[in-house]
């Protein structure tokens, strides 16, 4: 048996990080098992149609590195489909659903329902008032096919409902939750086909998973309550059901489902803030799944090797932005200067530190600057909180500690010596940055804290900051000289 799994989003236009994690787990499982991972678009709810949504979602998945083998793909910016089991967009499969729903009607497992919305609302209201759980009362269950067809020909609107037997136990096994048994008395006669001729999710999902030969349905836990209806459909069609794996939700700190109202929830939001795909994906893998040891940093290859459905937890995982930042910083440190500068430049432009037209000319310098700061930022956008030291023209001590350092008795002498060395230097690269302190120490006897700290404060106004020799290189000769002069003139 070849493993075949699918990620089946509705085209809302963005990929919630919970969905990205679902996609990721499907992908990891497929790759590990030497199987296929499919992207199917579930667009049967026409009221929720969003222009360009599919393209956006595919791009987000591509950015994350969670790419599918089969299904809806973007080729040169154009949507196409790849694979032998298409179409992979549900709205292009209407004739298929019609054929199968007709079969159910013929066999007596589904029926036409003509109840108006008003009637359904009334029934629901009454049930609620009687303390019952609202559900369809079966009003149309026994209309004969002939009568129903006459009414349809006369132009009456209808839906098609699943005819569940009374008091019948439906059971299935969920890989994470174990055995689940539900009695049909607790279920509704689910609508399978809507008045607009589109199937509902519940019907289309079964038909498609079967025809696309899906072996494992790995999806969010919100679907587990619907699974019995799906399982019943497999039963009446006489099809073998796939294995079910319902993943726990990603929760916020209050242990509620993470929602858009709480800020960043879309993969796209994190990309826009300059997170690295590896960081986000590595972090998401760990929300809900735990490896056997305490490893926390995983490449995609390692995830593929070590991931297992058995180690996915039953309870929801809390989304912890600090941990995400910690993991992402790891990848920031590892990233190449080219990659980092590409990520950071837009934020520097946005904040007015540089102009778009200056980028080319200053590229090498920007690259050095970003490299110097990469230890100090968790994600790209944070660069704007750290670059100030490279752009300011006046030095002001940031805090009391910095002020105290500027009062040191030997500071004027130290600055004179440093200034002279900078003036004489042909280039103030990293080598200079390292050598200059050794020389000053030898010549003046100033060392350690009395040497590095005053220079750092004089150059930046701050007691903390990036590696000094590297910083000196990025600041450059003229910049350093004018800063030292400023300090000598104004602060001593
Ligand atoms: N279209 C459903 C969704 O939006 C898919 C659920 C499933 O995977 O069966 O999440």
């Amino acid at each position: 048996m070849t493993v075949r799994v699918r990620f089946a989003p509705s085209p809302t236009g963005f990929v919630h990080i919970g969905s990205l994690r679902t996609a990721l787990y499907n992908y990891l499982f497929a790759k590990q098992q030497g199987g296929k991972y499919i992207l199917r678009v579930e667009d049967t709810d026409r009221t929720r149609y969003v222009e360009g949504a599919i393209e956006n979602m595919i791009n987000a998945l591509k950015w994350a590195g969670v790419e599918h083998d089969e299904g809806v793909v973007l080729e040169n910016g154009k949507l196409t489909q790849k694979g032998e089991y298409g179409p992979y967009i549900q709205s292009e499969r209407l004739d298929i659903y019609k054929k199968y729903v007709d079969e159910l009607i013929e066999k007596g497992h589904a029926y036409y329902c003509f109840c108006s919305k008003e009637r359904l609302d009334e029934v629901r209201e009454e049930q609620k008032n009687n303390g019952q759980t609202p559900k369809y009362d079966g009003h149309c269950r026994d209309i004969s096919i002939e009568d129903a067809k006459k009414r349809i020909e006369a132009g009456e609107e209808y839906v098609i409902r699943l005819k569940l037997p009374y008091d019948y136990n439906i059971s299935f096994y969920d890989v994470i939750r174990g055995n689940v048994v539900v009695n049909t008395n607790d279920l509704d006669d689910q609508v399978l086909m809507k008045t607009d001729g589109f199937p509902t999710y519940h019907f289309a999902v079964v038909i498609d998973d079967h025809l696309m030969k899906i072996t494992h349905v790995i999806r969010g836990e919100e679907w587990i309550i619907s699974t019995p209806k799906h399982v019943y459909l497999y039963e009446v069609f006489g099809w073998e059901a796939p294995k079910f794996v319902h993943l726990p939700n990603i929760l916020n700190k209050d242990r509620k489902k993470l929602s858009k109202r709480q800020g960043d929830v879309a993969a796209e939001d994190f990309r826009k803030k300059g997170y690295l795909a590896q960081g986000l994906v590595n972090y998401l893998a760990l929300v809900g799944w735990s490896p056997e040891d305490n490893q926390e940093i995983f490449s995609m290859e390692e995830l593929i090797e070590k991931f297992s459905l058995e180690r996915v937890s039953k309870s929801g995982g809390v989304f912890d932005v600090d941990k995400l930042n910690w993991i992402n910083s790891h990848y920031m440190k590892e990233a190449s200067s080219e990659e980092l500068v590409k990520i950071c430049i837009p934020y520097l432009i946005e904040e007015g530190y540089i102009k778009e037209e200056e980028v080319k000319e200053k590229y090498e310098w920007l690259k050095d600057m970003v490299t110097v700061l990469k230890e100090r930022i968790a994600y790209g956008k944070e660069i704007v909180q750290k670059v100030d030291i490279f752009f300011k023209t006046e030095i002001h001590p940031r805090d009391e500690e910095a002020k105290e350092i500027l009062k040191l008795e030997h500071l004027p002498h130290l600055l004179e010596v440093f200034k002279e060395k900078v003036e004489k230097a042909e280039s103030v690269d990293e080598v200079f940055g390292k050598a200059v302190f050794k020389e000053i120490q030898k010549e003046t006897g100033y060392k350690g804290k009395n040497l590095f700290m005053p220079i750092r404060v004089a150059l930046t106004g701050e007691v903390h900051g990036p590696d000094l020799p590297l910083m000196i290189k990025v600041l450059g000769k003229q910049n350093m000289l004018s800063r030292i002069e400023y300090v000598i003139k104004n602060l001593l």
Side-chain angles (χ1 to χ4, degrees):
M1 177 190 79
T2 316
V3 162
R4 290 176 57 83
V5 295
R6 86 300 191 274
F7 174 54
S10 301
T12 51
F14 74 100
V15 182
H16 186 286
I17 49 170
S19 305
L20 178 57
R21 192 199 51 178
T22 300
L24 175 67
Y25 285 7
N26 272 286
Y27 171 86
L28 296 176
F29 183 66
K31 296 287 141 189
Q32 183 184 75
Q33 303 290 319
K36 290 267 186 285
Y37 162 58
I38 294 136
L39 180 79
R40 181 173 73 223
V41 173
E42 303 208 325
D43 61 343
T44 56
D45 186 351
R46 304 311 280 171
T47 57
R48 288 172 58 192
Y49 179 76
V50 185
E51 184 77 34
I54 304 176
E55 289 86 340
N56 287 348
M57 298 180 73
I58 294 178
N59 281 328
L61 292 165
K62 187 171 180 187
W63 170 75
V66 184
E67 288 198 77
H68 47 287
D69 307 296
E70 198 177 306
V72 186
V73 291
L74 264 181
E75 256 171 30
N76 305 323
K78 270 199 139 165
L79 275 186
T80 52
Q81 304 190 33
K82 189 170 105 185
E84 297 162 43
Y85 298 91
Y88 295 89
I89 298 180
Q90 288 186 329
S91 60
E92 295 174 14
R93 299 172 60 81
L94 299 187
D95 47 340
I96 302 177
Y97 307 125
K98 179 157 185 341
K99 171 178 161 237
Y100 284 99
V101 88
D102 284 348
E103 186 183 326
L104 286 183
I105 288 185
E106 286 303 317
K107 290 185 176 157
H109 296 301
Y111 60 94
Y112 295 101
C113 169
F114 300 91
C115 292
S116 64
K117 187 179 169 303
E118 291 69 33
R119 180 176 182 277
L120 294 175
D121 287 345
E122 266 169 39
V123 171
R124 194 168 305 129
E125 221 21 62
E126 203 180 309
Q127 288 167 332
K128 268 202 222 154
N129 293 341
N130 296 337
Q132 294 163 318
T133 323
K135 68 183 237 182
Y136 182 61
D137 63 353
H139 186 73
C140 295
R141 264 175 87 104
D142 299 318
I143 299 174
S144 71
I145 301 184
E146 294 69 42
D147 284 351
K149 288 206 164 139
K150 273 186 210 140
R151 289 171 72 168
I152 293 167
E153 258 163 48
E156 262 192 75
E157 283 206 333
Y158 66 96
V159 298
I160 298 174
R161 287 181 187 272
L162 176 62
K163 195 172 198 173
L164 284 175
Y166 296 118
D167 194 19
Y168 174 75
N169 280 341
I170 304 172
S171 59
F172 67 94
Y173 178 78
D174 182 90
V175 172
I176 294 169
R177 319 216 148 224
N179 280 323
V180 180
V181 184
V182 177
N183 190 280
T184 50
N185 288 356
D186 297 322
L187 295 175
D188 224 346
D189 277 356
Q190 175 66 48
V191 173
L192 303 178
M193 293 295 263
K194 299 179 277 187
T195 38
D196 61 3
F198 276 75
T200 54
Y201 155 72
H202 303 285
F203 187 54
V205 76
V206 170
I207 303 300
D208 292 351
D209 285 342
H210 171 70
L211 294 178
M212 295 179 187
K213 296 202 165 52
I214 299 302
T215 57
H216 296 73
V217 167
I218 305 171
R219 63 184 166 200
E221 69 181 352
E222 65 271 32
W223 300 108
I224 199 165
I225 49 165
S226 310
T227 308
K229 293 183 249 192
H230 305 171
V231 169
Y232 183 74
L233 280 166
Y234 283 101
E235 273 181 43
V236 294
F237 277 118
W239 298 336
E240 189 189 337
K243 291 214 162 54
F244 292 101
V245 187
H246 287 94
L247 306 172
N249 278 327
I250 298 186
L251 308 172
N252 62 25
K253 288 222 159 96
D254 305 328
R255 301 203 67 84
K256 302 233 170 65
K257 202 174 163 188
L258 195 67
S259 90
K260 215 171 159 52
R261 263 166 284 135
Q262 286 128 14
D264 299 329
V265 292
E268 190 61 9
D269 298 335
F270 291 93
R271 191 177 73 79
K272 280 197 191 131
K273 277 193 158 172
Y275 281 85
L276 295 167
Q278 301 105 296
L280 183 63
V281 162
N282 184 157
Y283 172 66
L284 285 179
L286 296 173
V287 188
W289 168 73
S290 49
E292 278 175 41
D293 48 22
N294 289 331
Q295 186 175 345
E296 299 202 287
I297 300 295
F298 288 89
S299 66
M300 195 64 110
E301 288 69 36
E302 285 175 299
L303 285 175
I304 291 171
E305 188 192 320
K306 301 205 169 150
F307 178 75
S308 74
L309 292 172
E310 286 69 32
R311 295 190 64 85
V312 172
S313 82
K314 277 195 187 59
S315 57
V318 174
F319 184 75
D320 176 355
V321 115
D322 295 331
K323 177 134 185 222
L324 165 65
N325 285 349
W326 178 79
I327 290 182
N328 202 65
S329 332
H330 167 86
Y331 289 98
M332 295 293 283
K333 285 180 201 133
E334 291 215 323
S336 71
S337 303
E338 272 75 20
E339 191 180 355
L340 282 186
V341 75
K342 226 166 60 203
I343 292 175
C344 292
I345 282 172
Y347 309 113
L348 296 173
I349 295 176
E350 196 179 281
E351 284 295 307
Y353 281 111
I354 49 163
K355 294 200 184 75
E356 187 128 32
E357 53 274 20
E358 293 170 334
V359 169
K360 223 174 161 185
E361 174 200 335
K362 292 191 173 170
Y363 189 76
E364 287 304 316
W365 178 74
L366 288 168
K367 215 165 76 181
D368 287 342
M369 183 178 74
V370 169
T371 310
V372 171
L373 293 174
K374 74 176 178 185
E375 303 275 335
R376 308 176 64 77
I377 57 175
Y379 53 92
K381 199 171 182 182
E382 267 195 342
I383 194 86
V384 299
Q385 295 165 28
K386 306 283 178 191
V387 285
D388 193 45
I389 51 166
F390 293 114
F391 288 91
K392 55 187 163 194
T393 46
E394 293 182 2
I395 300 300
H396 298 286
R398 185 201 255 291
D399 47 27
E400 279 309 310
E401 205 183 342
K403 271 190 202 151
E404 288 306 312
I405 286 167
L406 288 177
K407 283 187 202 146
L408 288 173
E409 219 175 294
H410 72 292
L411 186 66
H413 180 232
L414 173 60
L415 288 184
E416 278 305 329
V417 178
F418 182 69
K419 191 177 141 205
E420 213 174 291
K421 299 218 178 275
V422 174
E423 273 166 347
K424 275 203 210 133
E426 259 170 45
S427 81
V428 291
D429 53 11
E430 219 185 316
V431 178
F432 167 83
K434 280 191 184 134
V436 70
F437 292 108
K438 280 197 191 128
E439 280 177 33
I440 299 178
Q441 182 178 336
K442 227 171 155 185
E443 290 164 24
T444 64
Y446 305 141
K447 59 179 178 190
K449 258 192 127 182
N450 279 332
L451 174 58
F452 299 110
M453 205 48 124
I455 299 287
R456 183 186 287 287
V457 175
L459 290 177
T460 66
E462 316 215 353
V463 288
H464 301 293
D467 180 69
L468 204 46
L470 282 175
M471 199 178 79
I472 286 175
K473 174 183 172 197
V474 176
L475 278 175
K477 193 166 175 171
Q478 286 321 316
N479 217 339
M480 282 200 286
L481 289 176
S482 67
R483 286 177 186 208
I484 292 166
E485 263 149 37
Y486 182 89
V487 171
I488 292 174
K489 226 193 250 153
N490 301 287
L491 299 177
L492 297 188

